[in-house]
Amino acid sequence: MKTIYDFSVKDRKGNSVSLKEYANEVILIVNTATKCGFTPQYDELEKLYEKYHSQGFTILDFPCNQFGQQAPGTDESIHEFCKLNFGTEFPRYKKVKVNGEDADPLFLFLQNEKGFAGWDMEHPIASILDDMLSKADADYKQKPDIKWNFTKFLINKKGQVVARFEPTEKIENIEKAIEELL
């Protein structure tokens, strides 16, 4: 059975990192953007990281500029922005594409393991995203591709994808799932 440990990714300086380095940890993999309506989620993510990191939890941050060009700049400028504005300490990797022919193989694997989870329609941005994506593709909900910035994949200690959370998901629900795996 394939796991995330079968993949290597590039750190923000371009060095190859095997995800085997995170064996036996609970991992939240997130595609992020610095100029998105969801960017304030960096605060919530950092709080989760600080609270659970000592118990074997980490977050892997992959900036992505595919959705509304909302992650402009270099890998280093994105890193500096996140440190300065949100105090993030979790690992940040090289900017990636998460969909399409040029998509990073890790993200193709993640979305094939866990397809679209649906919007939390109580979130103020959910109806905007649903309307926009429905106009572009009436069947978008049936496809596993990543729909927007701050989609999160939860990985268990064996490297298996156990959950997908869309950017509208309440952080409390994500935290509960993390606690169950720790």
Side-chain angles (χ1 to χ4, degrees), residues 2 22 29 31 38 43 46 56 72 75-76 78 86 88 94 106 116 118 120 134 162 164-165 170 181:
K2 200 168 192 174
Y22 297 101
I29 297 175
N31 67 294
F38 294 110
D43 274 332
E46 181 58 24
D75 294 309
E76 200 55 39
I78 289 169
F86 299 100
T88 58
K94 195 158 195 57
L106 171 65
F116 180 60
D120 174 353
S134 293
V162 295
R164 173 174 169 165
F165 302 101
K170 290 178 182 74
L181 293 178

Short mmCIF file of all heavy atoms in Angstrom, two decimals, residues 2 22 29 31 38 43 46 56 72 75-76 78 86 88 94 106 116 118 120 134 162 164-165 170 181:
data_model
loop_
_atom_site.label_atom_id
_atom_site.label_comp_id
_atom_site.label_asym_id
_atom_site.label_seq_id
_atom_site.Cartn_x
_atom_site.Cartn_y
_atom_site.Cartn_z
N LYS A 2 0.59 2.14 -0.90
CA LYS A 2 1.36 3.38 -1.01
C LYS A 2 0.99 4.33 0.14
O LYS A 2 -0.16 4.42 0.54
CB LYS A 2 1.05 4.04 -2.35
CG LYS A 2 2.08 5.03 -2.80
CD LYS A 2 1.87 5.41 -4.25
CE LYS A 2 3.08 6.15 -4.74
NZ LYS A 2 3.02 6.43 -6.15
N TYR A 22 9.12 12.07 8.48
CA TYR A 22 7.99 12.32 9.36
C TYR A 22 7.30 11.03 9.80
O TYR A 22 6.18 11.06 10.31
CB TYR A 22 6.99 13.25 8.67
CG TYR A 22 7.60 14.61 8.39
CD1 TYR A 22 8.06 14.93 7.12
CD2 TYR A 22 7.73 15.55 9.40
CE1 TYR A 22 8.64 16.17 6.86
CE2 TYR A 22 8.30 16.79 9.16
CZ TYR A 22 8.76 17.09 7.88
OH TYR A 22 9.32 18.31 7.63
N ILE A 29 -1.14 18.20 6.05
CA ILE A 29 -0.54 18.79 4.85
C ILE A 29 -1.53 19.82 4.30
O ILE A 29 -2.71 19.51 4.12
CB ILE A 29 -0.24 17.70 3.80
CG1 ILE A 29 0.80 16.72 4.35
CG2 ILE A 29 0.23 18.33 2.48
CD1 ILE A 29 1.10 15.54 3.44
N ASN A 31 -2.19 23.15 1.45
CA ASN A 31 -1.77 24.06 0.38
C ASN A 31 -2.24 25.45 0.77
O ASN A 31 -3.39 25.66 1.11
CB ASN A 31 -2.31 23.62 -0.99
CG ASN A 31 -3.80 23.72 -1.12
OD1 ASN A 31 -4.54 23.01 -0.45
ND2 ASN A 31 -4.28 24.61 -1.99
N PHE A 38 -8.66 33.05 3.22
CA PHE A 38 -8.40 32.05 4.24
C PHE A 38 -7.02 32.20 4.89
O PHE A 38 -6.69 31.45 5.81
CB PHE A 38 -8.52 30.64 3.64
CG PHE A 38 -9.91 30.27 3.21
CD1 PHE A 38 -10.22 30.15 1.86
CD2 PHE A 38 -10.91 30.05 4.14
CE1 PHE A 38 -11.50 29.81 1.45
CE2 PHE A 38 -12.20 29.71 3.74
CZ PHE A 38 -12.49 29.59 2.39
N ASP A 43 -2.97 31.58 11.66
CA ASP A 43 -3.02 31.72 13.12
C ASP A 43 -3.52 30.44 13.78
O ASP A 43 -2.92 29.95 14.74
CB ASP A 43 -3.95 32.88 13.52
CG ASP A 43 -3.26 34.23 13.53
OD1 ASP A 43 -2.03 34.29 13.74
OD2 ASP A 43 -3.96 35.23 13.32
N GLU A 46 -0.96 27.59 13.39
CA GLU A 46 0.18 27.74 14.29
C GLU A 46 -0.20 27.34 15.72
O GLU A 46 0.58 26.69 16.43
CB GLU A 46 0.74 29.16 14.26
CG GLU A 46 1.94 29.39 15.16
CD GLU A 46 3.14 28.48 14.89
OE1 GLU A 46 3.32 27.97 13.76
OE2 GLU A 46 3.93 28.27 15.83
N GLY A 56 4.01 14.74 18.83
CA GLY A 56 4.23 14.02 17.59
C GLY A 56 3.34 14.47 16.45
O GLY A 56 2.98 13.68 15.58
N PRO A 72 1.67 35.01 -4.51
CA PRO A 72 2.74 35.58 -5.33
C PRO A 72 4.05 35.62 -4.54
O PRO A 72 4.06 35.41 -3.33
CB PRO A 72 2.23 36.99 -5.61
CG PRO A 72 1.42 37.34 -4.40
CD PRO A 72 0.77 36.03 -4.00
N ASP A 75 9.64 31.73 -2.74
CA ASP A 75 9.48 30.85 -1.58
C ASP A 75 9.99 31.55 -0.32
O ASP A 75 9.36 31.44 0.74
CB ASP A 75 10.24 29.54 -1.81
CG ASP A 75 9.63 28.72 -2.93
OD1 ASP A 75 8.41 28.49 -2.91
OD2 ASP A 75 10.38 28.32 -3.84
N GLU A 76 11.08 32.26 -0.44
CA GLU A 76 11.64 32.95 0.73
C GLU A 76 10.76 34.11 1.18
O GLU A 76 10.56 34.31 2.38
CB GLU A 76 13.07 33.42 0.44
CG GLU A 76 13.87 33.69 1.68
CD GLU A 76 13.96 32.52 2.67
OE1 GLU A 76 14.08 31.36 2.25
OE2 GLU A 76 13.89 32.79 3.89
N ILE A 78 7.53 34.38 0.80
CA ILE A 78 6.34 33.79 1.42
C ILE A 78 6.67 33.34 2.84
O ILE A 78 5.91 33.60 3.78
CB ILE A 78 5.82 32.60 0.56
CG1 ILE A 78 5.21 33.14 -0.74
CG2 ILE A 78 4.82 31.76 1.34
CD1 ILE A 78 4.91 32.07 -1.78
N PHE A 86 2.34 35.90 11.07
CA PHE A 86 1.61 34.86 11.80
C PHE A 86 2.49 34.07 12.76
O PHE A 86 1.99 33.19 13.46
CB PHE A 86 0.91 33.91 10.81
CG PHE A 86 -0.09 34.63 9.94
CD1 PHE A 86 0.23 34.99 8.65
CD2 PHE A 86 -1.34 34.97 10.43
CE1 PHE A 86 -0.68 35.66 7.84
CE2 PHE A 86 -2.25 35.66 9.65
CZ PHE A 86 -1.92 36.01 8.35
N THR A 88 4.57 31.71 12.24
CA THR A 88 4.56 30.27 11.98
C THR A 88 5.93 29.65 12.18
O THR A 88 6.95 30.21 11.79
CB THR A 88 4.06 29.96 10.57
OG1 THR A 88 4.90 30.62 9.62
CG2 THR A 88 2.62 30.38 10.37
N LYS A 94 8.63 24.27 -0.83
CA LYS A 94 8.64 25.01 -2.09
C LYS A 94 7.22 25.13 -2.63
O LYS A 94 6.41 24.23 -2.49
CB LYS A 94 9.53 24.27 -3.09
CG LYS A 94 9.92 25.08 -4.29
CD LYS A 94 11.20 24.49 -4.91
CE LYS A 94 11.83 25.44 -5.88
NZ LYS A 94 12.17 26.74 -5.35
N LEU A 106 2.81 14.32 -4.93
CA LEU A 106 2.24 14.15 -3.60
C LEU A 106 0.78 14.59 -3.58
O LEU A 106 -0.08 13.91 -3.03
CB LEU A 106 3.05 14.93 -2.55
CG LEU A 106 2.41 14.99 -1.16
CD1 LEU A 106 2.34 13.59 -0.53
CD2 LEU A 106 3.19 15.96 -0.27
N PHE A 116 -12.99 15.37 -2.78
CA PHE A 116 -13.63 16.58 -2.23
C PHE A 116 -14.56 16.22 -1.08
O PHE A 116 -15.41 15.35 -1.20
CB PHE A 116 -14.40 17.29 -3.36
CG PHE A 116 -15.11 18.54 -2.94
CD1 PHE A 116 -14.41 19.61 -2.40
CD2 PHE A 116 -16.48 18.64 -3.08
CE1 PHE A 116 -15.08 20.77 -2.02
CE2 PHE A 116 -17.15 19.80 -2.71
CZ PHE A 116 -16.45 20.86 -2.18
N GLY A 118 -16.62 18.42 0.56
CA GLY A 118 -17.80 19.29 0.67
C GLY A 118 -17.54 20.51 1.53
O GLY A 118 -16.71 20.49 2.44
N ASP A 120 -18.46 23.53 4.23
CA ASP A 120 -19.29 23.85 5.39
C ASP A 120 -20.04 25.11 4.99
O ASP A 120 -19.47 26.21 4.98
CB ASP A 120 -18.41 24.10 6.62
CG ASP A 120 -19.22 24.57 7.83
OD1 ASP A 120 -20.43 24.84 7.69
OD2 ASP A 120 -18.63 24.70 8.91
N SER A 134 -19.21 26.13 -9.46
CA SER A 134 -20.35 25.54 -10.19
C SER A 134 -20.49 26.15 -11.58
O SER A 134 -20.84 25.45 -12.53
CB SER A 134 -21.66 25.75 -9.42
OG SER A 134 -21.66 25.01 -8.24
N VAL A 162 -6.02 9.91 6.09
CA VAL A 162 -7.23 9.50 6.79
C VAL A 162 -8.38 10.49 6.68
O VAL A 162 -9.53 10.13 6.91
CB VAL A 162 -6.97 9.17 8.28
CG1 VAL A 162 -6.04 7.97 8.41
CG2 VAL A 162 -6.39 10.36 9.02
N ARG A 164 -9.74 14.50 4.73
CA ARG A 164 -9.53 15.72 3.95
C ARG A 164 -10.48 16.77 4.50
O ARG A 164 -11.66 16.48 4.76
CB ARG A 164 -9.83 15.47 2.47
CG ARG A 164 -9.79 16.73 1.61
CD ARG A 164 -9.95 16.37 0.15
NE ARG A 164 -10.19 17.54 -0.69
CZ ARG A 164 -10.06 17.53 -2.01
NH1 ARG A 164 -9.69 16.42 -2.64
NH2 ARG A 164 -10.30 18.62 -2.71
N PHE A 165 -9.96 17.96 4.69
CA PHE A 165 -10.76 19.06 5.19
C PHE A 165 -10.68 20.21 4.20
O PHE A 165 -9.58 20.67 3.87
CB PHE A 165 -10.24 19.55 6.56
CG PHE A 165 -10.22 18.47 7.60
CD1 PHE A 165 -9.04 17.83 7.94
CD2 PHE A 165 -11.38 18.09 8.25
CE1 PHE A 165 -9.00 16.84 8.91
CE2 PHE A 165 -11.37 17.10 9.22
CZ PHE A 165 -10.18 16.48 9.55
N LYS A 170 -14.40 23.89 10.13
CA LYS A 170 -14.10 24.51 11.42
C LYS A 170 -12.83 23.88 12.01
O LYS A 170 -12.66 22.66 12.00
CB LYS A 170 -15.27 24.30 12.39
CG LYS A 170 -16.51 25.08 12.03
CD LYS A 170 -17.63 24.78 13.03
CE LYS A 170 -18.90 25.51 12.66
NZ LYS A 170 -19.59 24.93 11.50
N LEU A 181 -5.94 10.81 16.55
CA LEU A 181 -4.79 10.10 15.98
C LEU A 181 -3.56 10.11 16.88
O LEU A 181 -2.70 9.24 16.78
CB LEU A 181 -4.42 10.68 14.61
CG LEU A 181 -5.44 10.48 13.51
CD1 LEU A 181 -4.97 11.16 12.22
CD2 LEU A 181 -5.72 9.00 13.26
#
